[in-house]
């Protein structure tokens, strides 16, 4: 049997829950309250959580989609999405190969990554001035 | 020696030595006891149907009414913690796996939460028994160092096992090593203390039954 | 050599925006369980820093640690970190060889004396005066002692340099020892694992570069940010362990349902590493998730801890004393019972019946 003829049988496990979605929602609510009352932003890393099969998707469904959906292209894609609960953002960073390098829920008015960075602004200003100079010449 | 080396030692040479001492001690003591023999009974035996050594091996498991009334706690607590110990040792999946690796036999295990509850009951009952021994004046008076030492040597494996499984107090590696070490200590002590009753009680009961049967009394 | 340009300037030259850099620093900060503000602080601190010189010495190693670190062709976290350091000596990765390479190393060490980071993989061979492992005619011991003198800190990459690893497994024919046995007067951090997870190596470097000091370490010198928890503590199969549902063999019903692998020899409970959270291959999976028990590769002496397939509740070696104990037990029992019988016989023979006159005395 040649290498290409070896059959691939993939078996998926039935989804089950060990309580992660409910616990996470409670934590998000507590942090959202802190944001509302004290203006304190925070973030929760999803990569390190021991999700059972199916729980990650369950969380997505529970948090839902909101009004904002942004895609960043900086050395790989980044997806920044506000959930149906304003102030609760789901931020996923990918590298160029499409692997997830960071996946978190940020409870904030706006995720840091969406803001333009001061160093980039200065760099852009220099480029813009050069372009204007080029147009004049 | 770091904690991983400690665990490897108790799982290797430690167990080997403990089992060796246990087997050596057990055979020596049983040999010694049973070769002593008894004085021959020269009277003609009076046989009654149903009276025999074998019968007594089972009837002794039920306490006499009068004795039970005097110290119900001893009997009830005694049964509870003995059964608890048997359940924990023989029906916990990790222990069954150990038995399988040593003798090759295996059987289904009970769910972990059931064993957990059993352990708590066993620990509480053993503490109760110790408290009773200290509180009751007669029991306290006749208790020797061995009584307390044997209680400790039996209590420690149950306690350390529970703590290891629940990740209490010390890092798991150390806790597991201490649990295995305490079990090895129990094994090594067994033949040389009153813990040998686990093996000798059957012979004792049989002898009592047989001696009384020859007198014509079923006990 | 160490740069005069800052990391930020170099990144800008390569067309990497600050936002892209912030993205990677944020990812790194969350992996080290630092608060989100730390990601921004990291990005700012690193951007302003100048790339420090890093010397990488390889001793008795399999090069797996270097392989682990360099497994990606496209820009990744690991590559980003490599942009932040100036790797002035690495026998496998460098283009130069021979005396030229050795001279570069000597020059880098002299120029950055007291400030360079020394990374070591592989154990140090002490047997036969160090002859078991030499580079350019010099023993590992010699090279390590010389390099450590001018290092600001030493990072022992992998279980071999952290604890001795496979060369130090019984019977340790080369007299292999870990770095901490040799270097006593400089801060040493053990990044153990066989190999370590790539981002753990780079996370430690980033922490050092950002905060100027080594992260908090556990009793074995490993960073608690990555080695603080055991695999068992963060394993997604833990509910099955707690319920007592174990896979009995590979590919049986329990294994297919993703049950706990304790009975297949998983050393998760006694192993500290970040495999269960950070995972491998860019977060793809880790051994237990792929159906095989943990080997315990980030712990000292894991090679000598019994079979990888022997559960933690079973013996690590054969129980050899049992048969001898049987023979010895019967022998001792027989001897003692003979002695007892003699005692009884003598007592009976020496028995003097008491008379009334004895009682009157």
């Amino acid at each position: 049997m040649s290498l290409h003829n070896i059959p691939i049988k993939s078996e998926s496990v039935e989804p089950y829950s060990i309580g992660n979605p409910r616990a996470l929602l409670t934590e998000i609510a507590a942090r959202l309250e802190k944001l509302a009352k004290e203006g304190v932003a925070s973030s929760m890393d999803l990569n390190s959580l021991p999700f059972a099969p199916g729980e990650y998707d369950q969380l997505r469904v529970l948090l839902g989609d909101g009004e904002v959906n942004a895609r960043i292209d900086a050395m790989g894609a980044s997806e920044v999405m506000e959930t149906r609960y304003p102030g609760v953002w789901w931020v996923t960073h990918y590298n160029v190969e499409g692997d997830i390098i960071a996946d978190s829920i940020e409870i904030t008015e706006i995720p840091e990554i969406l803001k333009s960075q001061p160093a980039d602004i200065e760099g852009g200003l220099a480029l813009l001035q050069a372009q204007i100079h080029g147009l004049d010449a | 020696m770091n904690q991983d080396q400690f665990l490897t030692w108790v799982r290797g040479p430690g167990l080997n030595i403990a089992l060796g001492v246990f087997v050596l001690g057990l055979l020596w003591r049983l040999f010694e006891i049973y070769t002593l023999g008894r004085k021959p009974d020269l009277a003609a035996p009076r046989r009654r149907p149903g009276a025999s050594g074998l019968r007594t091996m089972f009837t002794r498991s039920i306490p006499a009414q009068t004795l039970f009334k005097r110290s119900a706690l001893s009997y009830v607590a005694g049964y509870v913690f003995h059964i608890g110990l048997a359940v924990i040792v023989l029906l916990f999946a990790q222990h069954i796996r150990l038995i399988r690796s040593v003798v090759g036999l295996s059987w289904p295990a009970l769910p972990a939460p059931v064993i957990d509850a059993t352990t708590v009951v066993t620990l509480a009952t053993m503490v109760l028994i110790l408290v009773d021994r200290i509180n009751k004046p007669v029991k306290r008076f006749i208790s020797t160092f061995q009584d307390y030492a044997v209680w400790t040597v039996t209590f420690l494996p149950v306690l350390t096992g529970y703590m290891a499984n629940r990740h209490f107090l010390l890092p798991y590696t150390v806790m597991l090593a201490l649990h295995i070490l305490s079990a090895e200590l129990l094994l090594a002590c067994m033949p040389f203390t009153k813990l040998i009753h686990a093996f000798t009680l059957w012979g004792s009961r049989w002898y009592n039954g047989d001696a009384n049967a020859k007198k014509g009394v079923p006990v | 050599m160490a740069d005069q340009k800052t990391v930020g300037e170099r990144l800008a030259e390569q067309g990497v925006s600050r936002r892209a850099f912030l993205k990677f620093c944020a990812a790194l900060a969350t992996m080290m369980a630092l608060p989100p503000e730390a990601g921004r602080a990291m990005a700012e601190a690193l951007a302003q820093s100048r790339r420090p010189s890093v010397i990488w010495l390889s001793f008795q190693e399999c090069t797996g640690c270097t392989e682990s670190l360099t497994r990606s062709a496209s820009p990744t976290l690991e590559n980003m970190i490599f942009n932040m350091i100036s790797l002035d000596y690495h026998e496998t990765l460098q283009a130069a060889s021979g005396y030229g390479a050795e001279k570069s190393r000597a020059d880098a060490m002299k120029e950055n004396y007291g400030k360079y980071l020394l990374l070591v993989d592989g154990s140090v061979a002490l047997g036969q005066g160090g002859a078991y492992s030499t580079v350019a005619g010099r023993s590992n011991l010699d090279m390590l002692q010389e390099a450590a003198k001018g290092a600001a800190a030493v990072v022992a990459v992998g279980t071999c340099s952290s604890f001795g690893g496979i060369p130090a497994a019984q019977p340790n024919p080369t007299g292999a020892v870990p770095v901490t046995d040799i270097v006593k007067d400089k801060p040493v951090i053990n990044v153990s694992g066989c190999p370590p997870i790539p981002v753990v190596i780079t996370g430690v470097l980033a922490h050092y570069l950002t905060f100027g000091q080594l992260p908090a370490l556990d009793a074995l010198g490993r960073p608690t940010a990555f080695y603080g928890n055991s695999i068992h503590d963060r394993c997604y199969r833990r509910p099955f362990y707690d319920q007592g549902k174990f896979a009995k063999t590979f590919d049986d019903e329990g294994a297919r349902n993703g049950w706990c692998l304790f009975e297949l020899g998983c050393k998760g409970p006694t192993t500290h590493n970040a495999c269960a959270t950070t995972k491998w291959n860019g977060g793809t999976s880790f051994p237990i998730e792929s159906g095989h028990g943990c080997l315990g590769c980030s712990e000292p002496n894991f090679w000598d801890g019994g079979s990888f397939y022997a559960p933690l509740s079973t013996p690590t070696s054969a129980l050899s004393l049992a048969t001898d104990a049987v023979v010895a037990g019967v022998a001792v029992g027989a001897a003692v019972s003979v002695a007892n019988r003699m005692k009884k016989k003598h007592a009976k023979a020496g028995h003097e019946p008491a008379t009334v006159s004895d009682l009157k005395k």
Side-chain angles (χ1 to χ4, degrees), chain C:
Chain C
M1 300 298 157
D3 265 335
Q4 299 315 307
K5 291 205 190 95
T6 65
V7 172
E9 285 164 352
R10 279 186 58 90
L11 287 169
E13 274 176 12
Q14 289 169 21
V16 177
S17 72
R18 189 57 62 86
R19 178 184 271 129
F21 188 53
L22 178 62
K23 172 167 137 171
F24 285 96
C25 290
L28 197 57
T30 51
M31 261 182 236
M32 296 186 69
L34 294 169
E37 307 80 60
R40 165 162 265 277
M42 248 184 188
E44 275 172 26
L46 286 167
Q48 278 160 36
S49 64
R50 293 191 160 66
R51 298 192 317 159
S53 171
V54 172
I55 309 282
W56 185 306
L57 293 181
S58 299
F59 297 144
Q60 283 190 302
E61 39 79 42
C62 71
T63 315
C65 295
T66 300
E67 290 288 322
S68 176
L69 197 46
T70 58
R71 268 313 87 206
S72 183
S74 69
T76 61
L77 203 52
E78 292 75 37
N79 282 25
M80 193 64 56
I81 299 292
F82 265 116
N83 277 326
M84 289 185 236
I85 60 169
S86 175
L87 191 58
D88 290 335
Y89 184 83
H90 189 302
E91 286 154 16
T92 312
L93 298 176
Q94 69 198 8
S97 63
Y99 289 118
E102 295 305 301
K103 183 175 183 306
S104 291
R105 180 172 60 80
D107 288 344
M109 277 164 55
K110 196 161 100 180
E111 217 178 277
N112 300 288
Y113 194 85
K115 295 190 296 243
Y116 59 82
L117 264 185
L118 178 60
L119 265 56
V120 181
D121 66 340
S123 58
V124 180
L126 293 183
Q128 302 275 36
Y132 278 112
S133 180
T134 63
V135 177
R138 292 180 65 197
S139 70
N140 295 163
L141 176 64
D142 206 33
M143 286 180 79
L144 179 60
Q145 283 172 331
E146 183 201 45
K149 274 207 207 96
V154 183
V155 181
V157 180
T159 300
C160 288
S161 52
S162 302
F163 304 126
I166 189 170
Q170 278 166 14
N172 194 352
T174 63
V177 297
V179 166
T180 42
D181 272 20
I182 310 294
V183 179
K184 306 276 189 195
D185 57 348
K186 290 287 160 103
V188 180
I189 180 169
N190 290 326
V191 180
S192 64
C194 189
I197 295 174
V199 75
V200 172
I201 305 172
T202 54
V204 165
L205 287 175
H207 187 284
Y208 181 78
L209 296 172
T210 307
F211 301 109
Q213 59 186 24
L214 294 178
L217 305 177
D218 70 2
L220 288 170
R222 303 174 296 193
T224 50
F226 295 106
Y227 298 86
N229 287 315
S230 65
I231 309 295
H232 186 65
D233 287 337
R234 305 302 299 263
C235 183
Y236 77 103
R237 297 193 182 200
R238 182 65 183 275
F240 293 112
Y241 174 91
D242 290 334
Q243 289 167 47
K245 291 189 172 143
F246 301 106
K248 306 282 179 200
T249 67
F250 287 113
D251 213 28
D252 73 353
E253 196 61 41
R256 284 159 190 264
N257 285 329
W259 287 4
C260 174
L261 300 170
F262 184 94
E263 293 203 16
L264 291 168
C266 180
K267 303 297 184 297
T270 55
T271 307
H272 289 80
N273 207 339
C275 308
T277 51
T278 307
K279 301 195 190 177
W280 290 86
N281 294 319
T284 304
S285 178
F286 70 113
I288 289 153
E289 194 173 334
S290 301
H292 191 286
C294 168
L295 302 182
C297 76
S298 55
E299 296 294 314
N301 312 112
F302 80 96
W303 293 104
D304 296 328
S307 164
F308 290 145
Y309 303 101
L312 281 166
S313 62
T314 59
T316 54
S317 53
L319 298 168
S320 52
L321 290 177
T323 37
D324 296 334
V326 167
V327 172
V330 171
V332 174
V336 172
S337 59
V338 163
N340 286 341
R341 277 176 175 261
M342 301 286 301
K343 211 159 138 185
K344 245 169 102 173
K345 214 161 95 175
H346 281 138
K348 202 164 170 187
H351 174 72
E352 288 166 12
T355 62
V356 176
S357 48
D358 290 322
L359 293 170
K360 277 190 188 155
K361 278 183 203 156

Side-chain angles (χ1 to χ4, degrees), chain A residues 11 16 18 43 47-48 50 72 74-78 93-95 97 100-102 112-117 119-120, chain C residues 16-20 22-24 27 30-31 36 40 72-76 80 234-236 239-240 256-257 277 282:
Chain A
E11 297 176 16
Y16 59 90
I18 53 176
S43 97
N47 248 357
S48 61
I72 301 172
M75 301 212 87
S78 293
H93 294 306
Y94 300 87
N95 65 11
E97 285 174 327
I100 293 180
I101 58 166
E112 198 67 43
I113 200 77
L114 284 176
K115 297 190 198 162
S116 301
Q117 300 300 313
D120 292 336
Chain C
V16 177
S17 72
R18 189 57 62 86
R19 178 184 271 129
L22 178 62
K23 172 167 137 171
F24 285 96
T30 51
M31 261 182 236
R40 165 162 265 277
S72 183
S74 69
T76 61
M80 193 64 56
R234 305 302 299 263
C235 183
Y236 77 103
F240 293 112
R256 284 159 190 264
N257 285 329
T277 51

Side-chain angles (χ1 to χ4, degrees), chain B residues 34-206:
Chain B
Y34 291 117
T35 53
L36 264 178
R38 301 272 181 174
K39 268 185 10 204
D41 186 357
L42 299 169
R46 287 185 219 178
R47 290 275 169 207
R48 266 276 285 272
S52 70
L54 187 64
R55 174 201 146 97
T56 309
M57 279 163 83
F58 297 100
T59 58
R60 276 292 155 89
S61 295
I62 305 156
Q65 268 295 25
T66 43
L67 290 173
F68 187 82
K69 281 202 193 104
R70 284 181 80 108
S71 182
L73 183 79
S74 300
Y75 289 100
V76 173
Y79 264 107
V80 168
F81 100 80
H82 273 88
I83 292 170
L85 279 176
V87 165
I88 297 166
V89 170
L90 297 173
L91 293 173
F92 183 49
Q94 282 89 323
H95 292 158
I96 296 172
R97 189 59 188 77
L98 166 63
I99 293 168
R100 188 179 117 190
S101 75
V102 177
V103 295
L105 297 169
S106 148
W107 48 85
L110 281 180
V114 172
I115 303 287
D116 211 54
T118 309
T119 312
V120 174
V121 169
T122 305
L123 287 170
T125 310
M126 285 186 77
V127 170
L128 195 63
I129 286 174
L130 180 70
V131 165
D132 190 59
R133 179 183 281 277
I134 296 171
N135 271 351
K136 292 248 165 66
V138 176
K139 278 192 177 177
R140 192 171 68 234
F141 187 71
I142 61 174
S143 296
T144 63
F145 170 77
Q146 204 200 102
D147 294 311
Y148 296 110
V150 156
W151 181 92
T152 308
V153 150
T154 312
F155 189 74
L156 279 178
V158 189
L159 180 69
T160 51
Y162 183 69
M163 284 170 73
N165 203 35
R166 291 306 202 97
H167 294 240
F168 275 172
L169 202 69
L170 299 172
Y172 182 83
T173 312
V174 179
M175 211 64 240
L176 180 65
L178 286 176
H179 170 63
I180 298 175
L181 188 66
S182 64
E184 287 165 5
L185 185 65
L186 174 64
L187 264 181
C189 283
M190 217 184 220
F192 306 103
T193 59
K194 66 183 197 180
L195 289 174
I196 201 177
H197 75 273
F199 300 92
T200 53
L201 87 138
W202 308 108
S204 307
R205 287 181 177 185
W206 183 90

